[in-house]
Amino acid sequence: MPAKYFICPSGKTVTIETCLKACSQRCMFLPTLRAIAKASDRGLSEPSVTELIGGTREAYLKKITAYAVKPQDAVYAIHGSAVHTINEGYTEGNMLSEIRLKDEITSGKFDLYGQIIDHDEGVLGDIKVTSSYKIMKALGHYKIDVPTGEFFKTGVRKGQPKSKKQWCYNGVKMVMEWALQLNYYRILLEKQGFPVNKMVIQAMCRDNNLRVASERGIDQSIYLIPIQKISNRWIKRYFKTKARALQQALNQKKLPSICKPRERWNGRKCKDYCIVAMQCPYGAKIQIQSGKFLPEVG
Ligand code: SF4
Ligand code: SF4
């Protein structure tokens, strides 16, 4: 089910239809609102690859509830769509883009395939407009404290060794969700006779040039992040299990268990990003406790 309501900056909830047709004092341009409404409705009945990567509870609630989105918070979704559209307009030559492929388990729309980086014609590319935090994690960069050899001479830490932060570049690359997504697109493409030799994410930093990004060691606006192959057997089993769990919940009209820690980003998603959090007992509790959700007064 697509989103049914918008939440205005004042906190008031209106149906998207009323907002688009009748708001007398809009909080943003009408075409922007239309694009946000469209972005929440992909017109798919079967679960997509991206839906199955998230939690089963989240996917279930998106299917069965009339949820609300805040247009002010959803602008990032149309940034991503705009970047995809721009790329799609320049795919002449040995390239394919934005084609939805499906099999008996799910369906997925890849961004780019073909000769997109070098002479290899079998490169599968995906574009992400994302935060410096996520890029830092995806690159496996992290900071550690290293002793400077000096000691504090005064204050409460007198006598203790001094340390400074040092970047390390050998951390675990946190790309599980991207790897699941691209590997399934790879399987779908290969099934159609298009071999995939490489998978690459083009991560575009949306907070590039801000101090917070440079503190995270992110000083480029675009990073190319290679994605490793995962065995077809494992990937298919994973998606099959997720698709089956979702279908079972829908058939039985039964709310699935709380999303797994990875799927709910250890709680950050429930607090700040999950659009069905208020329909989820677990998410609603977190939102109310954090004061994020303020029920409309009057
Ligand atoms: S345009 Fe903005 S303020 Fe007006 S109804 Fe829609 S969301 Fe609310
Ligand atoms: S609020 Fe958290 S647990 Fe609930 S559906 Fe959203 S991500 Fe899952």
Side-chain angles (χ1 to χ4, degrees), residues 155-216:
V156 283
R157 298 185 64 192
K158 189 176 173 187
Q160 291 179 12
K162 285 185 176 177
S163 63
K164 62 175 182 182
K165 296 280 181 199
Q166 183 177 296
W167 278 106
C168 299
Y169 303 101
N170 58 350
V172 177
K173 295 180 171 48
M174 309 288 265
V175 289
M176 186 60 177
E177 293 186 358
W178 294 348
L180 288 169
Q181 184 186 6
L182 260 71
N183 271 278
Y184 208 90
Y185 293 168
R186 173 183 62 74
I187 291 172
L188 290 171
L189 271 161
E190 288 180 342
K191 206 172 167 198
Q192 298 298 320
F194 297 100
V196 174
N197 305 323
K198 277 184 212 158
M199 294 173 280
V200 184
I201 294 282
Q202 177 168 287
M204 305 175 75
C205 184
R206 63 171 172 240
D207 52 2
N208 182 40
N209 287 333
L210 294 185
R211 198 169 129 197
V212 66
S214 67
E215 282 170 0
R216 290 170 178 155

Side-chain angles (χ1 to χ4, degrees), residues 121-287:
E121 293 188 353
V123 182
L124 170 58
D126 204 77
I127 299 165
K128 304 286 182 201
V129 180
T130 189
S131 65
S132 54
Y133 176 80
K134 196 147 183 195
I135 296 176
M136 176 186 75
K137 292 284 186 188
L139 292 170
H141 294 179
Y142 63 101
K143 274 182 182 171
I144 55 166
D145 288 322
V146 288
T148 61
E150 295 175 358
F151 293 86
F152 287 97
K153 294 195 174 93
T154 55
V156 283
R157 298 185 64 192
K158 189 176 173 187
Q160 291 179 12
K162 285 185 176 177
S163 63
K164 62 175 182 182
K165 296 280 181 199
Q166 183 177 296
W167 278 106
C168 299
Y169 303 101
N170 58 350
V172 177
K173 295 180 171 48
M174 309 288 265
V175 289
M176 186 60 177
E177 293 186 358
W178 294 348
L180 288 169
Q181 184 186 6
L182 260 71
N183 271 278
Y184 208 90
Y185 293 168
R186 173 183 62 74
I187 291 172
L188 290 171
L189 271 161
E190 288 180 342
K191 206 172 167 198
Q192 298 298 320
F194 297 100
V196 174
N197 305 323
K198 277 184 212 158
M199 294 173 280
V200 184
I201 294 282
Q202 177 168 287
M204 305 175 75
C205 184
R206 63 171 172 240
D207 52 2
N208 182 40
N209 287 333
L210 294 185
R211 198 169 129 197
V212 66
S214 67
E215 282 170 0
R216 290 170 178 155
I218 301 303
D219 52 12
Q220 296 174 200
S221 48
I222 290 186
Y223 287 82
L224 293 177
I225 301 173
I227 296 294
Q228 301 304 316
K229 185 175 173 181
I230 304 175
S231 88
N232 287 10
R233 195 156 163 253
W234 192 94
I235 286 281
K236 280 190 173 175
R237 198 168 50 196
Y238 176 88
F239 279 91
K240 210 172 190 170
T241 307
K242 295 291 299 275
R244 196 183 294 142
L246 177 60
Q247 197 52 56
Q248 213 167 44
L250 290 168
N251 292 347
Q252 297 171 357
K253 298 188 172 49
K254 190 168 168 230
L255 184 68
S257 324
I258 296 168
C259 305
K260 296 196 171 66
R262 175 189 64 75
E263 296 165 341
R264 60 176 202 266
W265 309 345
N266 295 316
R268 277 192 313 126
K269 192 170 193 178
C270 313
K271 181 169 165 279
D272 291 323
Y273 300 101
C274 178
I275 53 178
V276 286
M278 286 313 296
Q279 279 72 29
C280 164
Y282 180 79
K285 199 167 149 199
I286 290 179
Q287 295 234 340

Side-chain angles (χ1 to χ4, degrees), residues 6-9 12 14 19-20 23-28 33 71:
F6 275 161
I7 301 174
C8 308
K12 189 177 153 201
V14 293
C19 162
L20 298 182
C23 180
S24 55
Q25 191 60 57
R26 297 190 193 284
C27 60
M28 59 183 75
L33 288 159

